[in-house]
Amino acid sequence: GDLLTDTIILISLNKNTGQVALISLPRDLYIEIPGFDKKEKINFAYSYGGLDFARKTVSYIADIYIDYAVSANFIAFEEVIDALGGVAVYLDQPFEEDFQWAKEGWQENQYWFKKKINNEERWVFHLPAGQNFLDSKTALYYSRSRFSTSDFDRMRRQQQVLLAIKDKALSLGVLTNPVKIYNLLDVLGKNIRTDMSLADIKELISLASGVNTRDIKRKVFDTTPEGLLYQTFIGEQYALLPVGDNYDKIQEAVKKIFSN
């Protein structure tokens, strides 16, 4: 349903070194949810028990304490990018999604065109190689596309867009300005939720000046040998399970994210 989480990203900050890591967990990871009497995909946790329960579930899988959680819907994603005046992403090669948005294209421009595929006219979403300056709507399509690639590639693109948001926010001085951050949170309103207090947010702002924004560690758990997952079917349901059928290697990768 609407409360299943499309995206789960664990953000880790080493306060001693200023290092930051983004760690993406796929929504199809099939787990034993704490306190629940059956296994489910990890994206079920938020719909079952809200933000706090989702935080505790990810904490259980990663075997680390997670201080805070933030949930944002698609509207909040667009509002952030609108408030920043768009973001820039660089592509080594062109990106094309010719199936997922076949009926949803909204106008022909540099990112949309029509193409006949299997005798059916479809909208194709396209980003050329090189630097692309995305408005909020285009950034959302780019971050959600997966049918022509995979959910894992989508997670990598989501991290890329998050870093683009970070870069733009830094260039505008947003991340080190409490007033600008509070104004942004006010704009987001009901479309973002967090268990952070104002005092917690102030502490994070104070840490921002010491963050190493040039060398951010990135990890996506996937079905490659380094991704520590394998795919299977539980009944007729596609699912991902950890290599070795336990979380040991995943937990080790999370705990050693800054030393690799």
Side-chain angles (χ1 to χ4, degrees):
D2 291 341
L3 292 179
L4 295 176
T5 42
D6 260 9
T7 301
I8 302 169
I9 299 179
L10 175 62
I11 303 176
S12 184
L13 167 63
N14 187 324
K15 293 169 69 173
N16 294 323
T17 65
Q19 288 179 294
V20 177
L22 301 181
I23 304 168
S24 289
L25 295 167
R27 62 181 184 172
D28 291 317
L29 183 61
Y30 195 73
I31 66 168
E32 182 179 333
I33 294 183
F36 197 62
D37 60 0
K38 65 175 182 175
K39 292 186 176 182
E40 283 283 355
K41 291 184 179 181
I42 193 170
N43 66 346
F44 171 78
Y46 182 84
S47 65
Y48 176 70
L51 189 63
D52 181 64
F53 190 73
R55 177 177 59 84
K56 290 176 179 176
T57 299
V58 175
S59 178
Y60 168 73
I61 298 303
D63 192 34
I64 61 170
Y65 179 77
I66 297 175
D67 297 270
Y68 312 113
V70 177
S71 70
N73 60 21
F74 293 153
I75 296 173
F77 178 89
E78 291 187 89
E79 286 176 339
V80 167
I81 294 177
D82 281 337
L84 296 175
V87 295
V89 296
Y90 183 86
L91 275 65
D92 292 325
Q93 56 188 17
F95 173 79
E96 189 171 290
E97 174 59 70
D98 63 8
F99 184 82
Q100 191 169 354
W101 316 115
K103 305 295 184 183
E104 293 189 30
W106 48 290
Q107 65 176 343
E108 293 195 73
N109 57 28
Q110 60 181 324
Y111 299 127
W112 292 95
F113 63 89
K114 290 181 179 180
K115 182 179 181 181
K116 185 163 279 191
I117 303 174
N118 297 328
N119 294 320
E120 178 188 19
E121 190 174 69
R122 298 181 185 176
W123 280 103
V124 177
F125 177 68
H126 166 82
L127 267 65
Q131 191 83 324
N132 289 269
F133 296 94
L134 310 181
D135 61 19
S136 60
K137 194 169 185 178
T138 305
L140 183 59
Y141 276 109
Y142 179 62
S143 300
R144 293 184 63 199
S145 295
R146 68 185 178 95
F147 282 32
S148 294
T149 51
S150 71
D151 206 22
F152 306 124
D153 288 331
R154 181 176 71 158
M155 289 192 290
R156 294 182 183 93
R157 288 194 296 275
Q158 290 166 347
Q159 290 188 359
Q160 180 188 24
V161 173
L162 275 183
L163 293 180
I165 291 172
K166 177 266 301 179
D167 289 340
K168 188 63 176 288
L170 282 173
S171 72
L172 297 176
V174 173
L175 294 183
T176 54
N177 187 320
V179 175
K180 289 185 178 181
I181 288 180
Y182 295 140
N183 287 342
L184 183 59
L185 290 174
D186 187 56
V187 169
L188 296 175
K190 64 182 180 181
N191 294 309
I192 190 167
R193 295 180 180 178
T194 182
D195 51 11
M196 283 188 286
S197 66
L198 286 178
D200 297 327
I201 294 173
K202 287 180 180 178
E203 182 182 1
L204 284 177
I205 294 171
S206 70
L207 292 172
S209 60
V211 169
N212 180 355
T213 60
R214 294 185 296 264
D215 182 28
I216 294 180
K217 301 286 186 180
R218 298 170 63 180
K219 176 69 177 177
V220 171
F221 288 108
D222 58 21
T223 54
T224 64
E226 300 79 22
L228 304 178
L229 301 175
Y230 70 93
Q231 61 184 25
T232 186
F233 284 87
I234 310 296
E236 296 183 356
Q237 180 179 224
Y238 173 81
L240 296 167
L241 294 174
V243 170
D245 293 320
N246 60 59
Y247 305 120
D248 293 353
K249 292 185 181 298
I250 289 176
Q251 292 168 356
E252 181 181 10
V254 170
K255 291 174 182 178
K256 293 183 175 180
I257 189 68
F258 293 119
S259 60
N260 294 330

